[in-house]
Amino acid sequence: GTIALAWGGTPLGWNWTPAFVWSRFVRDFYGPIAQAQPHAGHKALVKLGKRGKSIKYITMNVDGLHQASGVPDQDVAEVHGSVRKFRCIKCGLPMETTTTGGSDGDEDNIQVKLPLDPYRQPRCKKAANGSSNSSSNRSSWSSQLLPFYQDSRTVCEGRCRPDVTLFTESLPQAEWNRAMSFVSDLRLGDVMVVYPAASIPSTAKRHRGVTLIEFNRDFPTPLSELADVCVPGNAAEQFPVFVQRLLERQQRKE
């Protein structure tokens, strides 16, 4: 299992054995994440955000639990991507998800059906110009004479993969840019121990003068010497306590 997951964490695995890697990804990696729910720490931070300024999140996690807890997508920079988003291995374009079953007649317009099927890897239905393969993208004569005609040359048909950063791949530029835009008002970053994402807290500390509070079960970490406050313990337990005390302090000042 470990070897299979490691192989699936590389572009080689997805390009050379896509069906095998997709199956293991859905069952062993995506499946448990899809079943996971935001813990008390996530919910506490959402509560804090509603009582004060908007909180911006920079995360290396790929589980999408911040959004699941109620955080707007535009307030989260997922610098390693998300397993809840997908793109085509071949053309690289996003593949939209749907929870509707769909009928045979609209199969061409469906990208990724949820829940995922470990034995059926979705295929990209994007046309060569990046739009979906609708009748408007086909030649007029073929649409009129052959209603069910599909010009396979205009359809990508690449296999689906999660929109996450695999080993040897660069971080998604759009998410990195969003993270950098958050640095001036950095509120929360989680599991920042892998570079280059691990450089974000130190950049915010040294160049913006933010207060750096580290919550971690294991101390010390590479960031501990830089942190203003280190709080040992599980985030699901410590965040609610921290938020409650912070809100009580704000209430006393009002």
Side-chain angles (χ1 to χ4, degrees):
T2 302
I3 295 177
L5 286 175
W7 176 246
T10 67
L12 287 177
W14 284 94
N15 290 323
W16 291 4
T17 57
F20 168 74
V21 172
W22 173 261
S23 178
R24 295 304 299 262
F25 161 74
V26 174
R27 289 182 296 170
D28 301 335
F29 194 77
Y30 173 84
I33 290 178
Q35 296 297 322
Q37 297 295 322
H39 58 55
H42 292 105
K43 298 175 182 178
L45 288 167
V46 171
K47 179 180 178 181
L48 179 62
K50 292 180 179 179
R51 293 285 298 274
K53 294 183 178 179
S54 174
I55 299 177
K56 307 298 183 182
Y57 299 76
I58 303 174
T59 179
M60 291 170 58
N61 293 342
V62 297
D63 51 30
L65 289 179
H66 287 304
Q67 293 93 324
S69 67
V71 178
D73 193 61
Q74 65 268 21
D75 289 342
V76 184
E78 298 171 303
V79 295
H80 281 179
S82 171
V83 298
R84 299 178 189 268
K85 300 177 183 178
F86 304 89
R87 61 183 169 92
C88 174
I89 295 176
K90 184 178 179 181
C91 70
L93 292 175
M95 296 179 66
E96 296 78 13
T97 60
T98 178
T99 56
T100 59
S103 61
D104 293 339
D106 60 27
E107 184 72 18
D108 288 350
N109 296 322
I110 294 176
Q111 292 291 298
V112 182
K113 293 181 182 179
L114 300 177
L116 299 180
D117 185 344
Y119 303 107
R120 186 178 181 182
Q121 188 172 13
R123 295 277 188 163
C124 180
K125 301 300 181 182
K126 298 289 185 178
N129 63 358
S131 60
S132 62
N133 183 42
S134 62
S135 59
S136 62
N137 294 317
R138 305 169 187 168
S139 59
S140 58
W141 66 267
S142 64
S143 298
Q144 296 174 7
L145 299 179
L146 298 173
F148 301 104
Y149 172 78
Q150 177 172 307
D151 185 357
S152 61
R153 293 171 299 176
T154 66
V155 183
C156 177
E157 287 294 338
R159 293 175 182 265
C160 176
R161 59 159 283 184
D163 194 9
V164 298
T165 302
L166 303 176
F167 294 115
T168 75
E169 290 184 330
S170 300
L171 299 182
Q173 192 61 50
E175 294 297 320
W176 180 257
N177 291 342
R178 181 183 296 183
M180 290 297 97
S181 72
F182 289 169
V183 166
S184 61
D185 189 30
L186 184 62
R187 302 282 179 170
L188 177 71
D190 48 25
V191 199
M192 293 294 176
V193 294
V194 179
Y195 283 87
S199 65
I200 295 176
S202 60
T203 299
K205 174 70 175 178
R206 291 167 178 164
H207 298 284
R208 297 293 183 178
V210 301
T211 299
L212 183 60
I213 304 175
E214 181 181 16
F215 294 82
N216 210 310
R217 289 179 296 182
D218 303 310
F219 284 103
T221 73
L223 292 176
S224 297
E225 292 186 0
L226 191 63
D228 296 281
V229 180
C230 295
V231 182
N234 190 299
E237 299 173 354
Q238 296 300 330
F239 274 144
V241 176
F242 168 79
V243 169
Q244 183 61 34
R245 291 180 179 177
L246 182 61
L247 292 176
E248 291 174 354
R249 181 179 179 182
Q250 289 179 346
Q251 188 175 9
R252 288 196 297 269
K253 290 182 178 180
E254 294 175 355

